[in-house]
Amino acid sequence: MILPEKTIERLSKYRRVLINLNFQQKDYIYSHELANLIHITPEQVRRDMMLIGHSGTLRRGYEVKQLIEKINSIIDGNTVQYVTLVGVGNLGRAMLNYLKNKNKYLQIIACFDNDQDKINKMCCGIPCYSINEAEEQIKKLNINIAILTVPTNVANEVADILIKAGIKGLLNFTTMPLKVPSNVYLEEYDMITSLEKVAYFTQFIE
Amino acid sequence: MILPEKTIERLSKYRRVLINLNFQQKDYIYSHELANLIHITPEQVRRDMMLIGHSGTLRRGYEVKQLIEKINSIIDGNTVQYVTLVGVGNLGRAMLNYLKNKNKYLQIIACFDNDQDKINKMCCGIPCYSINEAEEQIKKLNINIAILTVPTNVANEVADILIKAGIKGLLNFTTMPLKVPSNVYLEEYDMITSLEKVAYFTQFIE
């Protein structure tokens, strides 16, 4: 069964909060405590747990380690997926530093750029290749997820190259909305839109 | 009238696409062309235009410059809002470089950190102050929007300081979900959750 997107988002947050707050030192957690940590309702937590077939006890709640492992098995499927980041400018480098080593099942093992000063060197500890080698390297390294941080005006073109190379999951941080074939999973996030949204709604606050 | 969040997101995208693609050189654009550029339906574009009271002509579509100006007046309200970024680590610096100068009505005029090496210096061209001075500076500089890029474990504490200082809009890039009073507009984005979501759904693609 493929779980809904919103459920996956919450599972990712449950796991991070449990790990972040060192809740591992606590053996059990109640649904209302977990709900409180990510500011949702206990009912929502219980619905999610039912959906993933995870049960707690009325007296002590959910066993924390077991819950983390359950979420691991769902999100990561206990198999490593290889990831690349494409476009190692300011934003790209920051994302590389921020996202690498955050999840042992998601390994960023290569990045791509068209800048001769970066190609065939290490960028933030990750080998950087020429975008012209993308197809060859992506196939060779068995990479199936790409993070896109190239300039807006080449976003479409680069996405096409990546998809041709076999990328199946794309996280697009450029401000250019992409169109991808139905056998590619696309997640887009536009930081400028978010900031403009905050600005708009802030105007109405007294 | 306060517009819905999704409408504001699309208006921000219409505007960026129109500007990005140098559509200014073109005088008119049809709803289906605009729709195509951000991969939505022409009906959605027309509903949004009706909602903001912007009309085009059947023969030539929407006047591009007029539409950009209309969106300016809605999102930015033709008044400058001052913005700060808090937490000038890797992610913070990247966001600073990426978001500054993107919108003349949203001016990032200060950043805050607790690192003595950064305080009272310029960071990416923006003056950096001690987080201990946040309340004083935010009031003095008339800042009402903050971008939060501090480490997860201090996110709540720093958000409280900012809200106490008068911040009305908060863009939270940490992985810690925040709880804010009802008179603060909060937008949260968790990059790790997005990447994990891509990883999850990519598993099911053949």
Side-chain angles (χ1 to χ4, degrees):
Chain A
M1 180 191 60
I2 301 185
L3 294 167
E5 296 201 0
K6 291 288 169 199
T7 307
I8 293 299
E9 287 178 16
R10 284 190 302 271
L11 290 178
S12 165
K13 285 179 186 175
Y14 295 147
R15 176 170 66 174
R16 201 117 28 75
V17 158
L18 289 168
I19 296 170
N20 272 340
L21 296 183
N22 275 318
F23 257 100
Q24 295 95 318
Q25 291 170 13
K26 203 176 152 179
D27 289 338
Y28 289 85
I29 187 168
Y30 290 110
S31 53
H32 71 264
E33 293 174 307
L34 190 50
N36 217 23
L37 287 170
I38 69 166
H39 311 304
I40 59 172
T41 66
E43 290 71 30
Q44 183 66 69
V45 171
R46 288 193 286 267
R47 273 198 300 273
D48 288 337
M49 295 302 131
M50 273 180 56
L51 202 57
I52 65 171
H54 190 79
S55 53
T57 69
L58 207 59
R59 245 187 64 234
R60 307 205 280 175
Y62 305 106
E63 222 257 298
V64 170
K65 269 193 192 138
Q66 240 178 45
L67 179 50
I68 292 175
E69 274 161 29
K70 180 84 188 191
I71 298 176
N72 287 348
S73 74
I74 292 168
I75 294 186
D76 310 315
N78 291 322
T79 50
V80 172
Q81 292 197 75
Y82 296 111
V83 181
T84 182
L85 179 140
V86 184
V88 198
N90 275 323
L91 185 66
R93 273 198 303 273
M95 290 299 165
L96 215 45
N97 275 318
Y98 185 69
L99 293 173
K100 73 178 179 183
N101 305 328
K102 280 286 193 298
N103 178 329
K104 67 176 173 175
Y105 291 107
L106 288 173
Q107 293 190 9
I108 306 181
I109 56 170
C111 56
F112 293 94
D113 206 289
N114 66 354
D115 180 347
Q116 290 301 329
D117 291 343
K118 292 172 190 160
I119 292 167
N120 295 325
K121 292 182 186 150
M122 300 296 273
C123 276
C124 315
I126 310 287
C128 182
Y129 303 98
S130 163
I131 188 71
N132 298 326
E133 289 178 61
E135 191 164 352
E136 182 194 337
Q137 292 291 347
I138 284 170
K139 283 183 176 149
K140 197 168 98 186
L141 296 169
N142 203 14
I143 293 171
N144 59 357
I145 295 171
I147 303 163
L148 199 62
T149 47
V150 296
T152 303
N153 58 333
V154 295
N156 264 309
E157 183 192 337
V158 173
D160 290 345
I161 293 172
L162 297 173
I163 291 165
K164 191 159 165 264
I167 288 297
K168 294 295 176 199
L170 199 54
L171 179 50
N172 176 22
F173 283 129
T174 79
T175 64
M176 177 59 70
L178 297 176
K179 197 163 194 168
V180 299
S182 61
N183 65 340
V184 172
Y185 183 82
L186 173 67
E187 173 83 11
E188 306 198 288
Y189 180 71
D190 181 337
M191 292 155 207
I192 302 170
T193 289
S194 285
L195 182 58
E196 291 184 344
K197 209 169 128 188
V198 173
Y200 173 77
F201 288 104
T202 302
Q203 295 177 82
F204 300 100
I205 292 175
E206 287 307 305
Chain B
M1 180 191 60
I2 301 185
L3 294 167
E5 297 201 0
K6 292 287 169 198
T7 308
I8 294 299
E9 287 178 17
R10 284 190 301 270
L11 291 178
S12 165
K13 285 179 186 178
Y14 296 147
R15 176 170 66 174
R16 202 117 28 74
V17 159
L18 289 168
I19 295 170
N20 272 340
L21 296 183
N22 275 317
F23 257 101
Q24 295 96 316
Q25 291 170 11
K26 205 176 148 177
D27 289 340
Y28 288 85
I29 187 168
Y30 290 110
S31 52
H32 71 264
E33 293 174 309
L34 190 50
N36 217 22
L37 287 170
I38 71 166
H39 311 305
I40 59 173
T41 64
E43 290 70 32
Q44 183 66 69
V45 171
R46 288 193 286 267
R47 272 198 301 272
D48 288 338
M49 294 303 131
M50 273 179 56
L51 201 58
I52 66 171
H54 191 79
S55 52
T57 67
L58 207 58
R59 244 187 63 236
R60 307 205 282 173
Y62 304 106
E63 221 258 298
V64 171
K65 269 193 189 137
Q66 238 178 48
L67 179 50
I68 292 175
E69 274 162 28
K70 180 84 188 193
I71 298 176
N72 287 348
S73 75
I74 292 168
I75 294 187
D76 310 315
N78 290 323
T79 50
V80 172
Q81 292 197 74
Y82 296 111
V83 181
T84 182
L85 179 139
V86 184
V88 198
N90 274 324
L91 185 67
R93 272 197 304 272
M95 291 298 166
L96 215 45
N97 275 318
Y98 185 69
L99 294 173
K100 72 179 180 183
N101 306 328
K102 279 288 193 296
N103 179 328
K104 68 177 173 176
Y105 291 107
L106 289 173
Q107 293 190 8
I108 305 181
I109 55 169
C111 55
F112 294 93
D113 207 288
N114 66 354
D115 180 346
Q116 291 300 329
D117 290 343
K118 293 173 189 161
I119 293 168
N120 295 326
K121 293 185 184 148
M122 300 296 272
C123 276
C124 314
I126 311 287
C128 182
Y129 303 98
S130 164
I131 187 72
N132 298 326
E133 290 178 61
E135 190 164 353
E136 183 195 336
Q137 292 291 347
I138 284 170
K139 284 182 175 149
K140 198 169 95 184
L141 297 169
N142 203 15
I143 293 171
N144 58 359
I145 295 171
I147 303 163
L148 199 61
T149 47
V150 297
T152 303
N153 58 332
V154 295
N156 264 310
E157 184 192 337
V158 173
D160 290 346
I161 294 172
L162 297 173
I163 291 166
K164 191 161 166 263
I167 288 296
K168 294 295 176 201
L170 199 53
L171 178 51
N172 176 22
F173 283 130
T174 79
T175 63
M176 177 60 71
L178 297 175
K179 197 163 192 166
V180 300
S182 61
N183 65 340
V184 173
Y185 182 82
L186 172 66
E187 173 84 11
E188 305 197 290
Y189 180 71
D190 181 337
M191 292 154 209
I192 301 171
T193 288
S194 284
L195 182 59
E196 290 184 344
K197 210 170 127 190
V198 173
Y200 173 78
F201 288 103
T202 302
Q203 295 177 81
F204 298 100
I205 291 176
E206 286 310 304

